[in-house]
Amino acid sequence: MTVTDDTTVEEIAAATLARARDHLLGLQNPAGWWQGELETNVTMDAEDLLLRHFLGILTPPETAESAGWIRNQQRDDGTWANFYGGPADLSTTVEAYVALRLAGDEPDAPHMKLACDWIISQGGVEATRVFTRLWLALSGRWSWDELPVIPPELIYLPSWFPLNIYDWGCWARQTIVALAIVQSFRPSRPLPFTIDELKTGTKPAQPSRDPWARAFNALDQALHLYRPVKSVRRAALRRCAEWVIARQERDGCWGGIQPPWVYSLMALDLLGYDLDHPVMARGLAGIDRFTITEQGPDGPIRRLEACQSPVWDTALIMIGLADAGLPADHPALASAARWVLGEEIRGPGDWQVRRPHLAPGGWAFEFDNDNYPDTDDTAEVVLALRRVDPKTRPGDGAQPAIDRGLRWLAGMQSKDGGWGAFDADNTRNLVNKLPFCDFGAVIDPPSADVTAHIVEAFAAEGLHRHPAVIRGVTWLLRAQEPDGSWFGRWGANYIYGTGAVVPALIAAGVKPYKPAIRRAVAWLEEHQNPDGGWGEDLRSYDDPALAGQGTSTASQTAWALLALLAAGEHHGGAAERGVRWLAQTQRADGTWDEPQYTGTGFPRDFYINYHLYRLAFPLSALGRYVRALEVGSA
């Protein structure tokens, strides 16, 4: 449409909404689902090359194509970052450098010299995280004696005992069990070059005032001297292998994510599983599903997704399309509902260790991750399914699945009233003190964004007074930051948390005039950018003083708008400026440019650019804005 001085903001919003809706409808898979790329950093690609070298299956085309992508992501100063526009990361830069050496890039090449000089200036390989040095040990370029020990006998600890494998978050649990196997072999399959140019010869001092950390460091030193009884070690390795194999998914992955996948393949290889063994063959073939190959400026480039998010993407888009005014019996929603219902997980999983008597009934994030349904996806699926006409649903309809999902969610509530993503009461911080826990979150405590989505799902089904909802609302009110925002565990960051919590509290019956809501609205208004949008740089995880500060993005602007609209601020100036920013920055094809990463894997360590966030959330925000104005003028 042509915008004139007489064009109302409602007309602008409606036109912007229509373009976004039409673009999304064109992206639906014939099977009913949506899936956007899940973009992360080049460690995925570097480690893929190192894995293939370790297994002896690395091919020249794979090497050249992955190296092309890694070179493409190098910055002008020779470094690599963990997110768009972020600070250089030492471990990521070291892994990228080693991968390029494996691809044949010489140390004296200008781009390699830049990287090497920067690495040395930051303390060299010696200052990298444990997992980077572990890859170097696997590749024969680091000593296993200088890495923390993970004994496979850990598998024997009962679930009530501290530091047992179920004290770890599910992603870390699967990784640690596989790594326990790998470390027991201390393998070394040397790269065809040294990395001496990356070493300073100085081990960085890492003093710790934490008594538990000091105790675990002393225990680690003792474990280096420990010589296990052979029969006990063999039995532990066999138990670990059985545990790992039992958790392989139908598509060959482990947990639907890269870390446990690659370490499980190496563990089984070390145990003597041939590459043509069904477990290994499925695992290797499954990686192809996570591989993106496209034409780059200098030829084909190849990159890996750390994970895939079809259930999450589909649920968010179903909600967005319904918010955009798509009829509840529209074929796109009906097709999506049928696919989502087929993804319900009705079998057992690790969550039963903490909730042994709870009946299953949830959804996972990925195409295949039946061992680990998560509460966040389950809540969003419930919210999505209720927006579809029951007559379009197959069989006995969606309501039984919704009811099962809600019962499962109620049973997964933690003791304090909040919800974690994958497990209940996964809150023992002791594992964080272990010496190999220097990268990423390793436990799964309740978070504001997950708890909010679950509260909203119950409220949408009319269960405002359900005991789980009352406890969840209480948890959320207690979790509010002093400035009025909420921390975002799985999205960046305080804008994401606040954008999730305010709609949930309103849906659960908290009145818009209540102090908690007013403080949140004030915080959002104070952090609106001069251009009318909202943005938050991922550095806010390291420095809370940066909360709500950053370049405006479509997804984060939508999160802020969702909170403001829920609080009744549709006639406010902040909401109008936000809508105008979305309209002004929309591309002609209906989407938005968003190179910024607004998703979170591990706060402070690993971040995600969900390529459909820039469409799904603006669709909901614009749809709710238009509807609020229509209702207000009726």
Side-chain angles (χ1 to χ4, degrees), residues 169-407:
C170 73
W171 58 90
R173 177 186 316 146
Q174 296 176 90
T175 299
I176 290 300
V177 174
L179 274 179
I181 298 173
V182 172
Q183 279 210 338
S184 69
F185 285 90
R186 296 164 65 94
S188 176
R189 298 179 183 176
L191 295 166
F193 53 85
T194 69
I195 55 166
D196 292 344
E197 69 272 19
L198 301 184
K199 297 179 180 179
T200 64
T202 303
K203 186 177 180 180
Q206 295 179 329
S208 176
R209 297 180 180 178
D210 187 288
W212 278 111
R214 291 200 303 271
F216 286 137
N217 283 328
L219 175 62
D220 182 65
Q221 293 173 15
L223 286 172
H224 274 93
L225 301 174
Y226 167 63
R227 295 297 177 263
V229 177
K230 289 184 179 180
S231 60
V232 174
R233 174 56 56 92
R234 283 197 300 268
L237 289 172
R238 185 166 55 250
R239 177 77 68 86
C240 287
E242 292 169 351
W243 192 95
V244 166
I245 292 170
R247 282 156 181 77
Q248 187 181 36
E249 297 291 339
R250 288 174 298 177
D251 68 346
C253 76
W254 276 269
I257 52 176
Q258 185 261 11
W261 197 340
V262 298
Y263 297 126
S264 294
L265 286 171
M266 288 189 288
L268 295 176
D269 173 77
L270 290 165
L271 287 169
Y273 284 73
D274 294 332
L275 294 180
D276 58 359
H277 186 283
V279 172
M280 296 292 287
R282 280 196 304 270
L284 290 169
I287 294 176
D288 293 339
R289 189 175 180 178
F290 284 62
T291 302
I292 298 171
T293 302
E294 60 189 18
Q295 193 64 29
D298 301 313
I301 55 176
R302 176 180 179 273
R303 64 182 179 273
L304 262 67
E305 294 180 279
C307 186
Q308 293 182 332
S309 54
V311 174
W312 181 248
D313 289 343
T314 301
L316 294 178
I317 289 168
M318 289 173 68
I319 295 167
L321 289 172
D323 285 332
L326 211 66
D329 61 354
H330 190 281
L333 290 177
S335 175
R338 285 192 292 272
W339 181 80
V340 165
L341 286 168
E343 292 296 303
E344 185 188 8
I345 297 170
R346 301 287 299 279
D350 278 2
W351 52 271
Q352 290 178 308
V353 171
R354 296 281 185 257
R355 295 292 185 268
H357 304 298
L358 179 62
W363 282 263
F365 188 71
E366 305 87 348
F367 285 110
D368 294 291
N369 191 12
D370 288 356
N371 287 299
Y372 297 101
D374 69 89
T375 61
D376 213 6
D377 275 274
T378 300
E380 291 301 320
V381 167
V382 167
L383 286 165
L385 288 175
R386 70 176 305 275
R387 308 294 291 275
V388 182
D389 188 331
K391 294 190 295 293
T392 68
R393 299 168 184 160
D396 58 356
Q399 196 58 49
I402 290 173
D403 293 342
R404 286 190 294 269
L406 291 174
R407 282 195 296 271

Side-chain angles (χ1 to χ4, degrees), residues 375-380 382-383 386 405-406 409-410 413-414 416-420 446-477 479 486 497 500-510 517:
T375 61
D376 213 6
D377 275 274
T378 300
E380 291 301 320
V382 167
L383 286 165
R386 70 176 305 275
L406 291 174
L409 289 172
Q413 191 170 30
S414 290
D416 64 2
W419 278 271
S447 66
D449 40 306
V450 173
T451 299
H453 294 153
I454 295 168
V455 165
E456 188 175 7
F458 274 93
E461 292 299 308
L463 300 172
H464 306 74
R465 305 308 300 168
H466 191 288
V469 174
I470 295 171
R471 294 177 63 223
V473 167
T474 302
W475 189 96
L476 288 170
L477 292 173
W486 278 270
V501 173
V502 172
L505 291 178
I506 297 296
V510 176
I517 305 299

